[in-house]
Amino acid sequence: MGRAARTIAIWSPDWPVVTAAAAAGLDPAAPAAVLASGRVLACTASAREAGVRRGLRRREAQYRCPNLAILPRDLAEESRAFEPIVVAVESLAPGVEIVRPGLCTVSARGPARYFGGDEAAAARLADEASAAGPGDLCRAGVAEGAFAAALAARVGRIVPAGQTPEFLAPYPVDVLDRPDLADLLRRLGLRTLGDFAGLPPADVTARFGADGGFAHRLARGEDPLPPDGRTPPPDLVVTTHLDPPAEQVERAAFAARPLADQLHARLTAVGLGCTRLVVEAETETGERYERIWRYEGVLDAAAIAERVRWQLDGWLTASQSRAGQVKHRPRGGIAVLRLAPDEVIPHGGDQLGFWTHGADAEAAERAGRALARVQGMLGQPAVLTAVLAGGRGPGERIRYVAWGDPRGPLEREAEETGPWPGRIPAPSPALVPPSPVPAQLVDDGGLPVAISSRYAISAPPAKLRVGEESPRPVLSWAGPWPAEERWWDPAARADGTAGVKVRVQVATADGTGWLLISQGGRWFVEAVYD
């Protein structure tokens, strides 16, 4: 495995909260934070001075800083605001690759030769990026590989050639951004990248699999691609023509979703995964736009569509530099959209979707066109789809997104969020009523089953009555699972969604399973198992 190429990373600190604060018209000096999965993702400098840190839960962050403003994350806005920065960097160093909004990389070879060395090139690119962005000064770092360069940018360091492994060694394994792997490594006594990098590569792959081998190469400062990573064949490029040309992000993004599915299907069919994606667009006036997105891993269909949506937001929405000049908005609608895998690796594939081949795929496409027409008549929010997200109760885990919008962030939230103490165990119930149904749960003596101050059941349940129906004998039960929710939120206390909730599962003699919830001394049916 060879050493990774010298790379310059341009990083804008606290990008999610910088863009969220600007969109909300909030003073950049005010304490504010953006949350993801209930934890602090980014915060302002004044919030850090008050003790707020990345990874804190909302309750702890607000305890440390009572006047902390909690802002919603808007990935589309982050991408829109980052586009002028990418354009500014690209004007000095072609071949910019976006890792995520707020972080981009470029090969150091050309800029270093032109500007007289790594340090001069990094300083010039950082100055140009800072002048184009809305936040604090952008930082630049240089090292072998995008992963090490991004860490170097956080401390504004130019790592000398050949010293990247030594630079990475003291960092904790958490910077690999693989929570499960990091937790396992810590339990094995491997707390730093240096400890992890010291293991034999063959043993790492045998013990931790392909993703572990990928992370191991990152920790060693090596090229993260396996030796058989290669340039994709040209027949994998997918193209769609928009007639009439799209001038709105929603319409262009709707066309991009099946294109992302098509590209992913082609890659899967030949056993490949995309790690670097080229998004190209041509307008009706002949303008051509191109942007490269890099991903540390394999892009699935949702991740491809997500990045295309972010990029379309950056192109089709007018952006402003600090000078206040609107820049880089196409003069016409997008007429051609093209996706090209620029770098691929062998990949075993993913679980197939419900619609995959032949008539089912055609039916899905017809349904999509019909839903798009409904949106065109009634507006984008008129057609919603359900996405599983984080939460304790089954109803709380449902979020609705507009048809065609990226589902990836919420789907990843469902996978990554946790631990959600008080969440009911699997399997999930099949039926969730729009609102909880009143119920009565009594013991053998006919007395109501109550929940004590220690969250214990007063007596084993004997009968369940749902609404006005006849009582049903209870054969078995499980629980309770208590949860104290949103006690700090006045609005939640006012509408009754705050307080202690205790959930119990019961099975009745008719073969039905019930998920009951006790709140305020009353029982309700929250969901039904089939």
Side-chain angles (χ1 to χ4, degrees):
M1 182 66 60
R3 182 187 301 171
R6 295 284 287 176
T7 303
I8 301 176
I10 307 297
W11 176 65
S12 182
D14 310 321
W15 188 248
V17 73
V18 166
T19 54
L26 192 68
D27 183 358
V34 167
L35 272 63
S37 301
R39 294 182 180 272
V40 174
L41 175 69
C43 61
T44 58
S46 56
R48 278 194 296 274
E49 292 175 359
V52 180
R53 294 291 182 270
R54 178 184 171 93
L56 286 181
R57 291 191 178 276
R58 176 172 181 161
R59 183 184 304 180
E60 176 64 19
Q62 291 180 319
Y63 172 78
R64 296 188 181 189
C65 183
N67 61 335
L68 183 70
I70 302 298
L71 302 174
R73 189 180 189 189
D74 188 343
L75 282 166
E77 178 61 30
E78 292 176 30
S79 183
R80 284 193 293 266
F82 195 56
E83 179 66 15
I85 294 179
V86 177
V87 172
V89 174
E90 194 174 43
S91 67
L92 299 178
V96 177
E97 299 178 358
I98 304 176
V99 179
R100 61 177 182 273
L103 175 64
C104 62
T105 64
V106 67
S107 172
R109 183 177 180 181
R113 287 183 175 181
Y114 185 82
F115 293 108
D118 290 343
E119 187 171 352
R124 180 63 186 276
L125 292 179
D127 290 343
E128 196 74 16
S130 299
D136 295 334
L137 294 179
C138 292
R139 300 178 187 175
V142 184
E144 275 83 17
F147 172 71
L151 293 178
R154 292 180 176 271
V155 293
R157 182 171 173 182
I158 311 300
V159 180
Q163 295 186 20
T164 295
E166 291 78 6
F167 166 73
L168 292 174
Y171 278 91
V173 292
D174 301 84
V175 299
L176 292 169
D177 200 22
R178 289 163 169 78
D180 292 339
L181 176 62
D183 181 63
L184 178 56
L185 292 175
R186 283 193 300 269
R187 287 189 278 118
L188 293 173
L190 304 171
R191 301 184 178 277
T192 66
L193 295 184
D195 296 336
F196 186 37
L199 299 178
D203 293 345
V204 170
T205 303
R207 175 63 178 84
F208 302 108
D211 189 62
F214 183 92
H216 188 245
R217 291 189 290 273
L218 293 178
R220 291 165 63 93
E222 296 177 343
D223 188 341
L225 286 178
D228 49 357
R230 56 187 182 270
T231 303
D235 59 348
L236 292 178
V237 178
V238 294
T239 305
T240 186
H241 296 265
L242 286 75
D243 186 19
E247 297 184 356
Q248 296 180 343
V249 175
E250 288 76 13
R251 185 169 177 272
F254 177 77
R257 181 60 201 238
L259 201 64
D261 292 336
Q262 183 182 353
L263 173 59
H264 186 257
R266 289 190 181 185
L267 289 166
T268 302
V270 293
L272 297 175
C274 179
T275 59
R276 191 166 63 190
L277 174 72
V278 179
V279 182
E280 300 177 12
E282 297 178 14
T283 69
E284 56 186 331
T285 58
E287 296 173 294
R288 185 175 180 275
Y289 295 83
E290 179 180 302
R291 187 70 68 229
I292 301 174
W293 285 80
R294 172 172 286 281
Y295 186 66
E296 292 181 356
V298 174
L299 290 162
D300 59 16
I304 293 173
E306 202 171 61
R307 280 150 182 79
V308 176
R309 171 62 184 261
W310 296 343
Q311 191 55 61
L312 290 170
D313 265 309
W315 283 333
L316 292 176
T317 305
S319 301
Q320 290 188 347
S321 66
R322 283 185 174 178
Q325 298 175 336
V326 178
K327 304 163 64 176
H328 312 296
R329 182 179 175 90
R331 290 191 295 271
I334 292 180
V336 180
L337 188 62
R338 184 178 297 110
L339 305 182
D342 192 53
E343 191 175 74
V344 295
I345 61 174
H347 184 54
D350 300 304
Q351 177 66 41
L352 295 176
F354 184 73
W355 280 311
T356 55
H357 300 291
D360 287 338
E362 295 174 3
E365 186 176 352
R366 289 196 301 271
R369 289 197 297 266
L371 294 175
R373 287 196 295 271
V374 174
Q375 282 185 318
M377 292 184 292
L378 302 180
Q380 185 187 16
V383 182
L384 304 176
T385 57
V387 180
L388 189 65
R392 292 184 176 87
E396 298 171 357
R397 300 191 64 190
I398 300 300
R399 304 288 189 276
Y400 292 97
V401 298
W403 173 260
D405 278 0
R407 300 162 59 93
L410 285 174
E411 290 172 343
R412 283 196 295 274
E413 176 189 334
E415 297 174 0
E416 299 170 0
T417 189
W420 290 106
R423 173 187 285 184
I424 59 171
S428 298
L431 176 64
V432 181
S435 59
V437 179
Q440 298 176 13
L441 192 64
V442 298
D443 59 17
D444 281 330
L447 298 176
V449 174
I451 303 296
S452 72
S453 59
R454 294 181 177 273
Y455 307 135
I457 280 188
S458 60
K463 291 184 179 181
L464 170 67
R465 183 176 184 179
V466 179
E468 299 301 324
E469 299 177 1
S470 301
R472 308 166 191 248
V474 173
L475 299 181
S476 60
W477 61 280
W481 293 278
E484 186 173 3
E485 299 179 340
R486 307 186 68 81
W487 53 268
W488 66 90
D489 189 343
R493 291 198 300 269
D495 63 19
T497 59
V500 177
K501 300 178 181 179
V502 180
R503 293 180 171 88
V504 174
Q505 293 172 330
V506 300
T508 52
D510 59 358
T512 306
W514 307 82
L515 178 63
L516 307 180
I517 183 170
S518 173
Q519 187 174 15
R522 300 179 60 192
W523 288 99
F524 300 89
V525 174
E526 188 176 25
V528 182
Y529 297 87
D530 59 8

